[in-house]
Amino acid sequence: MNRTETYRIRGMHCASCASIIEKSLGKVAGVHAIEVNPGTENAKVSFDETKTGPEQLSKVIEPLGYTLVVPTNAPTANEMGMSESEHAAHLGLNQTKAEKLAELYAMRTKVLTVMPMAALAAVIMAWTILIEFGRLPALAPVWSQLLNAALAVMATYALFVVGKPYLLGVYRFLRYGAANMDTLIGIGTSAAYLYSIAVTFFSEALRPYLDVEVTYFDVAIVVIAFITLGKYLEARAKLKTGDAIEKLLNLQAKTALVLREGKEIEIPVDQVAHGDLIVVKPAGKIPVDGVLTEGSSYVDESMVSGEPVPVEKNIGDRVVAGTINTTGAFTFRATKVGAETLLAHIIKMVEDAQGSRAPIQALADKISGVFVPVVLVIAFVSLASWLFFGASSLGFAQALSYGLVSFVGVLVIACPCALGLATPTAIIVGVGKGAREGILIKDASTLETLHTVTTVVVDKTGTITKGKPELVSFKNFSDKSDSDILAILASLDNKSDHPISHAVVSYAREKNIRFLPVEGFEALKGKGLVGTIGGVQYHVGSARLAAERGASLDSLEKETSEGKTPVILTAGGTTLAVALVADAVKPEAREAVAALHALGIQVVMLTGDDARTAAFIAKEVGIDEVVAEVMPEDKLRTIQELQAKGRVVAMAGDGINDAPALAQADVGIAMATGTDVAIESAGITLLHGDIGKLVKAIRLSKFTMRGIRQNLFWAFAYNIVGIPLASGVFYPVFGWLLSPVFAGFAMALSSVSVVGNSLRLKTKKL
């Protein structure tokens, strides 16, 4: 049976680590596909569980220094007599954050111990250089020996204690042939250390062949210090890239106040069942999804909509887990619990998107896969070239010294880390920022495609318009006051279930109109309503009904061409009032269309509605092109025709009726209005159906892709410039030779700068 799971990987530090894991697990029988993300340190594995499992997969990579974290089935908190937080810690549910913080603390301790040594080594190095240039007098032999001995002790600590992971990288390379960034650092610093030990303890024997006055203990110390500092800063920055998930997890309520046998009982949220009645008090967090059964309030839904203004909730309205009640108290019935809730779907979607791989990453992955072996070859070729070509002009001792500097420099400056982190860190930050704005992105591929969109196709109802009828105009032709005549109209409509009647009733309630008793009510099918109020018989309905009752009426052709439906109130053959009902344009629609135009994007509206109505709304909003009176299959064909013209098309619709068109579009965008649409129905979901978020999503895509390109440029630039410089290519012409110390600094800076540039996305205003 095939199964696809995502597992966390311990011990992974760079892109070459990801490549090693992919190659190793890809060879296991039963594994169909594997995708490792160095940014999230996760592996998505598709495998046949009859042939292999997570435990077996972990055993394959454990000798290489990695561990696949396997979730365990364990007793519940109640069964173990623990609190929920204790149980979470026991199961390791909060392990990722705790482990990362523990690892960060251990790295910080190493940095604090090795950096003073590096500072002292740098001072001694600078002192030596000044002596060579005659700026300072030479030290007495005894002081030189003493300083060299101190450097040897510090280098031993730096290499074998702080640099232990790099030595293990060398061991695994020799034992299993698996090389990563740690291998490069380990070989380079070990070579500098062993050379220095040799010339220190066997100086007399080696004096005829080597310059025994020069050692590289300081190189080993400073390089390990810089790289350890860089890895610490990188880990600390990477921890910030994933804070969107942490914030979403913190939104989850821990307990719920449930009505059981007439009493309020507080229970853990994971014990809430479908149908439970849950009480929410002022400032309380809503634990699961449900529908109000009693009371009313205003709920802060900013965590799912990005909108700061609380939303009014009355009986029958839906509430979402993780949102916060502000003022009143209410009771609601649980309809979705656990992994079914909207918040759980959002968390899962964000996790999946942050762990997915963008197409632009393919090039970096290919290079990272062969990077370490190529760098090893370049390093050895550099050393051999110095010995072969430099010995005749510089002498063997000097050539070996320069060759060793180049060898160590090439190994140290090579940075597969920056290359591997360039794309995933930007994707993690971009997806997280989108989630906080109410923009849910399904995968990195969708985010990448979105920035190339040239045409946005929108559905009218629910996207450009509000999706429900509203009373937009009211004209009173009687001698009664507006409120009196509206009371008569609304009282009759209150007896009907028709959507147009609901629009009239809602308008009357907003105006605080009191409903009147109605006698002899009857619904006239296809025409309207009839009823008696205060002894007078009234008719409410279409122009056709008014004409049948002998009421005169001015032409309403202009209004109907604009998509407005007339609701006419008559009595005794006289027209008393005309209400116009329409699906109103969303306030943000005009601004959103203008913003899309500013981005150079054409907007096309597809709708099944009347062509005249569609044309009027399109003109009002500023839409470029209208295709009206279409069926769902016609929408699909329209998308295909636009794509055939070479356009990259994003389709925004309700995610259900527009499913074929959404699937065909280069990017499908679901205009979700809360919990009534499956988040998985499109590549991007805009919560609460706000078309303004569509513009933000496109801007987010452009910002993210710009950040990725910047990251890749700098990652490539460091290596394209750094490796030739470190190998000594420029020495014959310019006399340039890069010290391994500066190579270590550049290598550390490259990873930190890439992660830092990704974090900069958080500050961008969409």
Side-chain angles (χ1 to χ4, degrees), residues 15 21 57-58 185 243 272 431 454 475 572 645 712 757:
I21 295 166
L57 296 175
S58 185
I185 306 304
D243 62 2
V272 175
V431 169
T454 59
K475 293 180 181 179
K645 293 176 182 176
L712 288 172
N757 190 50

Side-chain angles (χ1 to χ4, degrees), residues 49-63:
E49 56 186 348
T50 62
K51 295 181 179 179
T52 188
E55 292 82 5
Q56 291 85 349
L57 296 175
S58 185
K59 287 177 182 176
V60 171
I61 57 175
E62 280 170 7

Side-chain angles (χ1 to χ4, degrees), residues 324-638:
I324 299 170
N325 181 29
T326 57
T327 52
F330 59 85
T331 303
F332 75 94
R333 188 177 301 279
T335 56
K336 293 182 180 179
V337 299
E340 302 169 341
T341 66
L342 178 64
L343 180 59
H345 277 297
I346 291 173
I347 292 171
K348 180 71 168 62
M349 191 173 188
V350 173
E351 283 179 336
D352 290 346
Q354 289 186 335
S356 63
R357 187 175 297 180
I360 197 173
Q361 194 175 340
L363 176 61
D365 288 344
K366 287 179 182 178
I367 293 173
S368 298
V370 298
F371 191 84
V372 172
V374 168
V375 169
L376 282 169
V377 170
I378 292 172
F380 280 106
V381 168
S382 297
L383 176 59
S385 298
W386 275 105
L387 293 176
F388 184 78
F389 296 108
S392 57
S393 57
L394 299 173
F396 180 79
Q398 189 67 44
L400 178 60
S401 178
Y402 284 176
L404 187 63
V405 167
S406 295
F407 177 77
V408 176
V410 168
L411 292 176
V412 169
I413 202 169
C415 187
C417 271
L419 205 56
L421 291 170
T423 301
T425 52
I427 292 294
I428 290 167
V429 174
V431 169
K433 185 175 180 67
R436 287 193 294 275
E437 294 278 354
I439 302 164
L440 302 183
I441 299 159
K442 190 173 184 179
D443 53 42
S445 178
T446 299
L447 187 63
E448 179 175 337
T449 304
L450 188 59
H451 91 287
T452 64
V453 163
T454 59
T455 301
V456 169
V457 177
V458 293
D459 182 37
K460 179 182 78 71
T461 307
T463 303
I464 296 298
T465 63
K466 293 180 179 179
K468 62 178 182 179
E470 289 184 355
L471 195 154
V472 294
S473 175
F474 179 74
K475 293 180 181 179
N476 180 8
F477 301 110
S478 72
D479 55 3
K480 295 179 182 289
S481 67
D482 285 357
S483 58
D484 287 344
I485 206 73
L486 183 58
I488 295 169
L489 177 63
S491 298
L492 289 164
D493 275 314
N494 195 36
K495 296 289 183 179
S496 170
D497 288 330
H498 197 282
I500 289 176
S501 294
H502 289 171
V504 174
V505 171
S506 296
Y507 180 81
R509 282 184 174 143
E510 286 175 13
K511 299 293 183 181
N512 295 316
I513 298 297
R514 190 166 59 90
F515 296 120
L516 305 171
V518 179
E519 297 175 351
F521 176 83
E522 184 184 353
L524 306 174
K525 190 173 181 181
K527 295 180 181 180
L529 314 168
V530 61
T532 301
I533 298 174
V536 179
Q537 188 181 61
Y538 295 95
H539 290 82
V540 176
S542 63
R544 177 183 166 194
L545 178 63
E548 286 180 3
R549 298 298 165 185
S552 60
L553 192 67
D554 292 336
S555 173
L556 294 170
E557 187 176 346
K558 179 178 180 292
E559 287 79 359
T560 55
S561 70
E562 294 173 355
K564 296 171 184 174
T565 301
V567 179
I568 304 164
L569 175 66
T570 63
T574 303
T575 300
L576 302 177
V578 175
L580 295 172
V581 174
D583 184 5
V585 171
K586 289 183 177 180
E588 65 273 14
R590 296 179 188 86
E591 186 180 341
V593 170
L596 288 171
H597 287 156
L599 291 170
I601 295 171
Q602 185 182 31
V603 184
V604 177
M605 186 171 78
L606 289 183
T607 179
D609 281 0
D610 174 75
R612 290 188 305 168
T613 302
F616 173 78
I617 289 174
K619 184 179 179 181
E620 187 179 355
V621 177
I623 286 170
D624 302 297
E625 187 180 335
V626 180
V627 182
E629 300 177 6
V630 293
M631 300 297 287
E633 56 269 23
D634 298 322
K635 292 183 180 183
L636 171 63
R637 189 175 63 253
T638 303

